Amino acid sequence: MNELELLQGLGLQLPSPAYLIGALVFGLIGWVVWRRGRRQARPALTWSGVALMFYPYLVTRTWLLWGVGVALCAWAWLQWE
């Protein structure tokens, strides 16, 4: 338990289960969107998939992860056709 307190003192914390599930879900959705965008040669869809796969590395808050993820999924859904 001492190691956990030391890491928290350094500002390092483990992400919550909701964050981990969100990162996994949006990463998988991003991979599907990226593949479809590449197959159809549609840059908007391809870059939407890339954004969905990699934005969890930039976001640290769980609520922000889910908010941005839902917004990007909505954008990809509008571009899907």
Side-chain angles (χ1 to χ4, degrees):
M1 195 62 153
N2 193 16
E3 293 86 9
L4 183 60
E5 292 173 1
L6 177 64
L7 289 174
Q8 287 177 345
L10 294 172
L12 301 173
Q13 295 180 350
L14 296 174
S16 68
Y19 183 91
L20 293 174
I21 291 169
L24 181 66
V25 166
F26 293 125
L28 289 173
I29 292 171
W31 180 70
V32 170
V33 170
W34 175 77
R35 284 191 59 199
R36 174 142 179 164
R38 283 191 36 118
R39 284 186 181 169
Q40 293 183 350
R42 298 183 58 201
L45 203 55
T46 303
W47 287 108
S48 297
V50 170
L52 273 165
M53 285 189 287
F54 292 111
Y55 87 93
Y57 293 106
L58 304 174
V59 177
T60 58
R61 305 252 183 218
T62 303
W63 65 269
L64 192 57
L65 175 91
W66 284 93
V68 171
V70 168
L72 285 171
C73 284
W75 171 255
W77 183 71
L78 290 173
Q79 299 296 319
W80 190 266
E81 293 181 353

